[in-house]
Amino acid sequence: MDNISYGFELAKKNFRRGQGAWLILTVCLCAACAFCGCGKESAVRHSLADTAMGTLVNLTFYSGDLSEEELRELEDSLLEEIRGKERELLSWREETSEVFRVQQEMGPGGAFVSEELFELLRECRKVEEDSDGAFSPALGALTRLWNMDGQALLPSEETRVPSEEEIRAALGHCGPDHMKLTEGRLFLEEGTFLDLGAVGKGYMLDRIRKELSEKASASGKSLWGVASLGGSVLTYGEKPDGTPWKVAVADPEEPGETIGYLELKGSWCVSTSGDYERFFEKDGVRYHHILDPSTGYPAKSGLRSVTILSESGFLSDALSTACFVLGQERGTKLAEKYGAGILTVDEGGEISCNEKMEGVFRLWRQDE
Ligand code: AMP
Ligand code: MG
């Protein structure tokens, strides 16, 4: 196999030495953090930090010819677009969203869906098929049962592990056999619900990249920067001084720290899925938010985190979840099928990269 492995202890020890040398833009809740530099003395910079899609959003852009005010307006409009897509398309909780509405309108013949949702679901189906069902957009019955978002906020004595019966019942409404997509219509069996939580942030990164390139080409203005949505990061454009973007990878053992970083030139998407992002503990067992559709329980693939590098935000996000469930070996095969880079951290702290990732990943070392 093309993988390389590093000793995790070494990574952690060395990170602490190099830590002070870098500016971390996003905070510890993010699985991956982006580092950037202006790279041009006359360039203007503007940064926005807020919340949307239930996570932290950080937008930091630079321009050689837009004003700071114009950058601020651009970031405000992108934040509004992220919130708008959640509210109008992606959320299964908000009554205003298409995902919510389509479930209400579901009849025996299915329901018509917008071209946008149809296309997004079609892409999800492809990853579902290629991952042998490790990733599924129709896992809502199970994710609602576990309610990780809610349980993560409760004190341990109030959390509840669903019974095997409940899990079996929910699984009976999950996965590819309970959902059909044909000619602009979606069909969901009764009791089957969509959950696009594994792809929404990556999908939004693709939208942001499109907006940025339209803005840049329409005005002929230079624009470069970084957008991070929770565990998904977009690097956009080239820095004028030619130096690479640096996107840090969180340490699953101590998520406020990082194990190293990716050095990237140009526009890329990086997503991390980890068992430390949302979880609750009961009787000394950690129950995290990435569920294995073959068991109905949090995935136990031997991994603590998966980081995917792809030109597509949708793919980086979908694959990070799918590969976490599949484990190191099968996950690497899936990532390579899509031409993506993959970095895994396993339960023993071992870090592995495929060739594409090896070319850009820098482990914190003593000499840095
Ligand atoms: P991520 O953090 O991108 O890995 O996405 C995790 C979120 O996706 C969870 O909070 C659930 O809403 C949903 N999810 C959990 N397990 C799966 C799975 N196996 N396939 C698809 N979505 C999932
Ligand atoms: Mg994901």
Side-chain angles (χ1 to χ4, degrees), residues 135 197-199 232 271-273 314 316-322:
F135 163 90
V199 294
S232 291
S271 293
T272 297
S273 290
F314 167 82
S316 70
D317 203 356
L319 291 176
S320 69
T321 310

Side-chain angles (χ1 to χ4, degrees), residues 98-227:
E98 187 175 357
V99 160
F100 187 97
R101 262 186 300 113
V102 98
Q103 311 239 154
Q104 311 299 81
E105 289 164 13
M106 194 59 55
F112 280 101
V113 293
S114 66
E115 224 178 296
E116 187 175 4
L117 183 57
F118 189 86
E119 196 47 38
L120 177 57
L121 291 173
R122 209 180 52 76
E123 289 182 37
C124 286
R125 293 303 296 248
K126 171 130 184 34
V127 178
E128 183 177 47
E129 202 180 311
D130 290 338
S131 67
D132 294 326
F135 163 90
S136 175
L139 220 58
L142 194 62
T143 57
R144 285 169 203 210
L145 174 65
W146 280 94
N147 183 24
M148 292 295 176
D149 288 343
Q151 299 224 65
L153 301 172
L154 294 174
S156 165
E157 57 279 11
E158 287 175 37
T159 57
R160 194 180 82 84
V161 178
S163 70
E164 280 185 28
E165 251 177 25
E166 286 174 306
I167 288 174
R168 232 190 339 267
L171 275 180
H173 297 293
C174 289
D177 298 343
H178 307 277
M179 167 181 162
K180 276 198 204 81
L181 265 182
T182 43
E183 294 163 7
R185 272 182 312 160
L186 165 70
F187 177 77
L188 294 172
E189 268 179 27
E190 204 179 333
T192 298
F193 301 101
L194 297 174
D195 181 335
L196 301 179
V199 294
K201 296 174 190 77
Y203 176 72
M204 282 316 300
L205 292 186
D206 289 335
R207 302 273 316 186
I208 291 171
R209 184 181 38 222
K210 189 161 171 281
E211 295 282 323
L212 292 172
S213 56
E214 278 171 12
K215 171 94 183 164
S217 62
S219 60
K221 309 283 188 198
S222 63
L223 195 55
W224 64 100
V226 174

Side-chain angles (χ1 to χ4, degrees), residues 154-346:
L154 294 174
S156 165
E157 57 279 11
E158 287 175 37
T159 57
R160 194 180 82 84
V161 178
S163 70
E164 280 185 28
E165 251 177 25
E166 286 174 306
I167 288 174
R168 232 190 339 267
L171 275 180
H173 297 293
C174 289
D177 298 343
H178 307 277
M179 167 181 162
K180 276 198 204 81
L181 265 182
T182 43
E183 294 163 7
R185 272 182 312 160
L186 165 70
F187 177 77
L188 294 172
E189 268 179 27
E190 204 179 333
T192 298
F193 301 101
L194 297 174
D195 181 335
L196 301 179
V199 294
K201 296 174 190 77
Y203 176 72
M204 282 316 300
L205 292 186
D206 289 335
R207 302 273 316 186
I208 291 171
R209 184 181 38 222
K210 189 161 171 281
E211 295 282 323
L212 292 172
S213 56
E214 278 171 12
K215 171 94 183 164
S217 62
S219 60
K221 309 283 188 198
S222 63
L223 195 55
W224 64 100
V226 174
S228 81
L229 287 183
S232 291
V233 176
L234 164 75
T235 62
Y236 179 80
E238 301 275 354
K239 288 199 264 176
D241 65 1
T243 58
W245 300 109
K246 293 185 168 70
V247 179
V249 180
D251 178 350
E253 198 61 30
E254 293 171 73
E257 298 192 4
T258 62
I259 55 171
Y261 58 94
L262 315 189
E263 275 194 339
L264 303 169
K265 286 207 167 187
S267 300
W268 289 96
C269 294
V270 180
S271 293
T272 297
S273 290
D275 69 0
Y276 54 87
E277 291 176 311
R278 235 168 305 143
F279 63 92
F280 68 89
E281 277 170 345
K282 190 81 186 169
D283 302 326
V285 180
R286 171 185 293 220
Y287 297 92
H288 62 81
H289 73 307
I290 305 167
L291 302 172
D292 183 343
S294 71
T295 64
Y297 283 85
K300 275 193 197 159
S301 60
L303 298 181
R304 302 243 19 229
S305 80
V306 173
T307 298
I308 297 284
L309 170 68
S310 168
E311 275 146 4
S312 152
F314 167 82
L315 277 180
S316 70
D317 203 356
L319 291 176
S320 69
T321 310
C323 295
F324 187 102
V325 175
L326 288 172
Q328 205 264 326
E329 211 166 302
R330 290 174 69 205
T332 300
K333 276 196 192 125
L334 178 66
E336 295 201 330
K337 180 171 179 154
Y338 283 90
I342 179 169
L343 179 151
T344 58
V345 181
D346 74 15

